[in-house]
Amino acid sequence: MTKPSNISHKVSRRAILKSGAAATTLAMLPLWAGRAEAACGTLRAGITGYNVINTLDPAQTTLIPESYVVWGVFNCLLKFDESMNIVPDLAESYESVSPTILRFKLREGVKFHDGVEMTSADVKFTLDRLRDDATASPHQSKFAPISEIRTPDAYTVEIETAEPFAPMLSYLTNTRTGSQIVPMHLLKDGTPDDFATNPVGTGPFKLTEYQPGASLTLAKHTEYFEDGLPMVDIVEIPLIAEESAGVTALLGGSIDLTSTAPFADIPDLENDDRVQVLKAPGTNTRFISVNNAVAPFDDVHFRRAVSMAFDRQAMVDVVLFGEGRTANGVVPNSISWAATQDAPAETMMNPEEALKELALSKYGAGTEATVLTWGSGWWKRFAEVFVLQVNQVLGVNFTVEVSDSGTVYQRKQAGDFQASIWGWLGLIDPDEYAYEIYHTNGSRNYEKYSNPQVDALLEEARRILDLGPRGELYRQAEALAIKDCPVLPCFESNVHNLLAPKVQGFVQRPYSGFGAQLAEVKDC
Amino acid sequence: MPSGLKYFLTRLGGALITMLVGTVVVFFVMKAAPGDPALVVLGDFATPETIARFNAERGLDAPLLVQYFDWLGGILRFDFGQSLSVSSGADIGELLAFRLPNTIFIGLYAMSIAVVLALILGTLAAVNRGNFIDTGATSLAVLGVSMPDFWFGYMLILGLSIGLGLFPSYGFIPASESIVGALHSGFLPALAIAAPMAAVFTRTLRTSLIENLDREHVTVAKSLGHSGRFRFVHHVFRNSVIPFIVVIGLQIRYLLGGVVIIERIFGVNGVGSLMVEAAFARDYFVVQACAVMFLAIVLGVNYVVDLICAALDPRRAR
């Protein structure tokens, strides 16, 4: 066991020191050939593929790696288990009092990292803060349906929405929605400047160090409410920008665990006894986004022709190295109660039908269009594989334009595009996919699609709390929408974690969860 | 004014003007790059309103010239401003204070390795001119120059770290925590940066040693009965050192170029990796601060090299 230490930036320091101690001088090195190892008690969990963290204030988080840390430092009222069931977290139970009122019973005796007890006042404060214009939270609109929050006593919270609003329950779980409970006593007079880099929550870990762009260190929250957790005392989190460097670091014994892994390496790593590969279907969707308002994608026949002119399984094989599955719609298959189960005809490669649809459209062979993409990795390949197939089948003349992701995003928001690759990751409720992409007023509807029948079904799905009938409404909405091909669903990728052979107890979450489940890691 | 002093002052003036031109280039090149720090920070949640607010809060909506002079004024007061998108709001001075010592350590480490290798190989090659030792040393030098440093870095990781487990594959222990740890964990990145420099140094040293071995005064010294070792150290080596030092000065820019790539591969938290991260995140202020710092280092080193060479050979300062 190692003592918590307050020395900064010591990514894999123990590992190297332990190994380096055997070799006090470089000259002696050849005498020593031990593999670097972490003392148990310290878990070195690398965030790979990302290294920018701007804020750890849940109300302000926008980036995936920010969520990774926030999930370990805070709790929500509820959380998802590995099968994506909603289970208690800070709330030990909840009930639907009426279609518009959710009542939560809080655990008693939960302590923030500074020792102050968490009560219903903190829950009300957290949600009110998200809804407040002054907070300017990117998550504000998610909580706009709330009309009132009541706290009958210190351990009861009632959340009332103006209309029945089924997604609210998902929004209150530990995902990328900013609803992690923050301490009222520290923030009630305005958020101090340092809360973003010095957060205080109820989570299993508290932040002890942060070196921007380099590393974070977490220490066990000794008064955490779950008995026996966390099992590790210290979590060192190097921020490793390159996924491939994460693999190298793991194979070389510099870290114990990674947050992601490059698709291309998975087949090899699965046969490598120096590493455990965990994989599961991910909660994400990747599609070709087409601008329904401009030529040539303003013609439904042309969109259908394109949609049936490429093989999605070929994309999975070439782009993801087989690490994923074809998509039947925009709702990911891992949200099984709402996802379309059988591939619609419009999402299957069918050159004959595609050419028939092309003949019906006002555009023909030789039609030109630009497909936006970014980077040099699989996102670029995604666009190339799409364009290659469609040009071959339809005789059109699509080209790939490579830019950077920020620029592509800006152009999409401005409607300044014909087609682009696109995708959403780590959103949990089908509403966040189906409503936001297909609905006329959907906040992610960059395709400018509008269909009153689809809108009506999606609005109805927001009002039904029972998952069975609610999921059926999403399937009906998708079945209608997909006939118009407003977007061209392509594939869903697996989520991966790489672990050193000794690491035990890490349980994957399909929404790319990382952080919270580090509390359950036993051996490292 | 003595000619020596005049020489130094004109050199200094030139360096300062270069510095100023450098700041203009760095600033406007960054602005011309596509992308936007607001989009990096706001991610999936960027809307025209949130982007506008982000830019207004950070003064990014002011006219370019105003932004430039604001920034330059800050630099002159050693106030580099605050990070935009690598670590929003963090003080860049603090980021650099944490990272610069690591970069300097790796840089000096690499330089030491390169110089030691070059002294051994260059001398061996020169005194064994034409035989197989010379051929071997020269071939090594050609190899060193031809290998891309990032490829060599990965090969080192593959062989010495993952293969043999002699060195860590990722991460660097700052010298402030443990000198042994820093020497151990910094060895592979330093070696990867050193290889191409060592090659250039070796060839320079070999050429100038051979040139001096054939000089008349060496022949005279031989006829006077001076021993071979005495002749080599006093008449050959001393005269060969000047071009060697000049080349070291010139290599500084390649050293910094190497640092940028290699730090990222090996997970060294230095200024080089910070600069790459900031460029990806369109963090103008951080990239500009790193670039200005690198420029100052290059100019400073070249200035010092000039001083040393002038001291060794006063004719140069006239």
Side-chain angles (χ1 to χ4, degrees), chain A residues 82-359:
Chain A
E82 63 269 29
S83 312
M84 297 305 283
N85 301 308
I86 290 181
V87 295
D89 201 4
L90 290 176
E92 57 188 19
S93 65
Y94 70 92
E95 59 180 323
S96 181
V97 182
S98 80
T100 56
I101 300 175
L102 286 166
R103 183 184 294 147
F104 297 87
K105 192 87 194 77
L106 302 182
R107 277 176 210 272
E108 298 187 18
V110 173
K111 297 278 175 61
F112 282 109
H113 297 150
D114 60 0
V116 177
E117 196 192 1
M118 189 276 317
T119 65
S120 59
D122 295 296
V123 177
K124 177 174 163 59
F125 174 81
T126 297
L127 298 175
D128 284 342
R129 180 172 175 251
L130 286 167
R131 296 160 64 215
D132 185 354
D133 288 340
T135 309
S137 168
H139 310 286
Q140 186 180 6
S141 63
K142 284 203 156 64
F143 300 93
I146 294 176
S147 56
E148 195 189 354
I149 301 167
R150 290 181 293 272
T151 52
D153 62 53
Y155 304 108
T156 309
V157 181
E158 284 184 6
I159 297 174
E160 183 162 3
T161 49
E163 297 282 318
F165 188 72
M168 188 52 68
L169 210 53
S170 299
Y171 294 171
L172 296 169
T173 56
N174 201 15
T175 59
R176 295 180 62 200
T177 53
S179 64
Q180 286 76 14
I181 305 305
V182 297
M184 182 170 92
H185 62 278
L186 296 179
L187 308 179
K188 61 177 184 291
D189 302 326
T191 306
D193 283 344
D194 72 342
F195 192 73
T197 51
N198 195 6
V200 176
T202 56
F205 299 107
K206 52 189 174 191
L207 185 76
T208 53
E209 285 163 29
Y210 170 46
Q211 287 296 349
S215 65
L216 305 102
T217 306
L218 308 178
K220 177 180 186 163
H221 175 26
T222 47
E223 294 185 279
Y224 188 54
F225 63 81
E226 287 197 69
D227 281 343
L229 296 183
M231 296 194 194
V232 285
D233 297 335
I234 304 281
V235 181
E236 292 176 356
I237 304 181
L239 299 171
I240 303 176
E242 307 280 352
E243 281 189 325
S244 55
V247 177
T248 308
L250 188 87
L251 291 175
S254 298
I255 56 172
D256 305 314
L257 174 63
T258 70
S259 61
T260 56
F263 300 123
D265 292 349
I266 296 296
D268 286 342
L269 290 171
E270 285 183 307
N271 300 322
D272 192 327
D273 57 8
R274 295 171 300 174
V275 54
Q276 300 180 61
V277 178
L278 295 188
K279 67 181 199 183
T283 309
N284 57 64
T285 182
R286 327 282 185 189
F287 51 89
I288 304 287
S289 165
V290 291
N291 190 336
N292 293 206
V294 301
F297 299 104
D298 55 351
D299 182 324
V300 65
H301 294 291
F302 188 77
R303 294 201 299 270
R304 251 181 238 148
V306 172
S307 188
M308 291 191 282
F310 67 100
D311 180 357
R312 284 146 178 92
Q313 186 57 47
M315 269 186 183
V316 171
D317 295 342
V318 173
V319 178
L320 301 180
F321 296 86
E323 288 302 312
R325 51 158 292 150
T326 57
N328 297 336
V330 298
V331 177
N333 194 63
S334 58
I335 307 178
S336 53
W337 54 273
T340 302
Q341 295 305 313
D342 300 310
E346 291 79 5
T347 65
M348 311 268 275
M349 169 114 171
N350 187 337
E352 284 175 21
E353 282 299 314
L355 288 166
K356 276 187 203 163
E357 287 290 340
L358 186 65

Side-chain angles (χ1 to χ4, degrees), chain A residues 9 13 51 54 62 409 413, chain B residues 41 44 46 88 98 177 277:
Chain A
H9 47 76
R13 168 170 148 259
N51 63 342
N54 286 304
T62 56
Y409 194 33
Q413 288 192 308
Chain B
V41 172
D44 300 359
S88 208
F98 162 58
E177 276 184 46
E277 284 142 27

Side-chain angles (χ1 to χ4, degrees), chain A residues 436-458:
Chain A
E436 297 199 6
I437 294 171
Y438 292 140
H439 193 281
T440 307
N441 303 328
S443 59
R444 301 170 199 263
N445 181 357
Y446 304 131
E447 297 75 26
K448 309 274 192 303
Y449 177 62
S450 179
N451 178 335
Q453 283 177 291
V454 172
D455 288 358
L457 287 165
L458 293 169

